Amino acid sequence: MSIIETRQLTKVFPGNIRAVDGIDFTVEEGEIFAFLGPNGAGKTTTIKMLNTLLPLTSGTAMVAGFDVAKHPAEVRKRIGYTAQDVGVDEYATGKENLTLYGHFYRLDSKTIKQRVKEIFELVDLTDSANRMVSTYSGGMRKRLDLAMGLIHQPQLIFMDEPTTGLDPQTRTHIWEYIRQLVRDKGMTIFLTTHYMEEADRLADRIAIIDLGKIIAMGTPDELKKSIGGDVVTLSPCAEKDAECKEFIKRTETALSGKPFVVGTKATDGELAVYVPDGEAAIPSIMRLLASEGIEVKTISLARPSLDDVFLKYTGRTIRAQEGTPTTWAEIQRKRSRRQK
Ligand SMILES: Nc1ncnc2c1ncn2[C@@H]1O[C@H](COP(=O)(O)OP(=O)(O)OP(=O)(O)O)[C@@H](O)[C@H]1O
Ligand SMILES: [Mg+2]
């Protein structure tokens, strides 16, 4: 049975801001499902609608067998939530914070005591349970956030950017805790991230979300295969200036429509060329560009990454945060350009 099922889920904020724009997806029990997208894509808004913190504008969402709009209390009983910015009491210990949460859920004292012990062991905070949260490091706080979402043993946990701002080592640890929850407790995880590697390494399935819409969905492998081969990245210029842009355009024109090229995408200073077979294509690409008088400074060959998938569907890299629209006017400009 699907533990989450949405139909045309939509959130429009005042000012006609379509933060989530008619999305359909399902999450199966026992899955780690990731929403991958840049800032402002609509990830938190989706999570908040699914966990009943935000009313839907239109569409439907079933979570743990209940309609979020009709039976929010039933949904809340069955889910846990690790927010992007969590409110914990800095001047209480980790243990006190978690115990308080247990009381919020009306658990009896004996159960709370038992679960607090178990959860602190799970997230590796037993030794620091009696320390004030204000003395915790960033990684310890994130682990405490995670613990707070677990106290009532939910079937499904929503985690909004569980590892943002953490160092790579702590991030890997958190991934391990998340996997453990699925493996040992049979939980389902819905998480959001803008880290490609996180989605790639952790999630069973990924929905790539951009400007409120799901633009691609599948297992990490399926998404990468949808690129259809390898990626050859060309840098025809040393400086990223206007001349470079012109140069990239010429390179793209020279390569377009050639039998050994599936598609191209230009970014700032580079051109990604999608080819069925990288090793075979590079000599042909070099010969062709030489005949056009285009000199390539660097060339690299890679198997496609999720970044390439994002680039293919949106025309920009998820890393290029400067290129991410921040105002609604910018988003609409981008959308109308894409539709042309
Ligand atoms: N309460 C609100 N009122 C108006 N606009 C909002 C509100 N909350 C979010 N938005 C807008 O909706 C869009 C989606 O925001 P959301 O927070 O869901 O993005 P996100 O994918 O979680 O981004 P981030 O990675 O930065 O957390 C953004 O354009 C944002 O400015
Ligand atoms: Mg967010």
Side-chain angles (χ1 to χ4, degrees), residues 119-140:
I119 293 169
F120 273 128
E121 269 165 29
L122 178 74
V123 300
D124 218 358
L125 280 179
T126 306
D127 292 345
S128 326
N130 292 315
R131 258 170 58 188
M132 208 117 79
V133 175
S134 57
T135 69
Y136 280 19
S137 70
M140 289 162 80

Side-chain angles (χ1 to χ4, degrees), residues 202-256:
L202 190 57
D204 297 309
R205 278 191 315 129
I206 300 168
I208 298 182
I209 178 166
D210 189 34
L211 307 178
K213 286 189 184 293
I214 291 178
I215 52 172
M217 190 156 46
T219 65
D221 262 359
E222 281 166 359
L223 289 172
K224 288 180 219 162
K225 280 195 184 127
S226 74
I227 298 254
D230 297 331
V231 187
V232 176
T233 306
L234 304 172
S235 310
C237 27
E239 301 272 335
K240 292 178 187 173
D241 49 16
E243 202 183 331
C244 172
K245 230 176 182 166
E246 191 50 43
F247 219 57
I248 288 179
K249 216 179 198 170
R250 268 182 60 208
T251 311
E252 198 170 16
T253 312
L255 291 170
S256 76

Side-chain angles (χ1 to χ4, degrees), residues 38-45 84-85 160-161 192 194:
N39 291 131
K43 304 184 296 295
T44 299
T45 307
Q84 200 167 353
D85 309 294
D160 201 359
E161 305 201 7
T192 73
H194 54 246

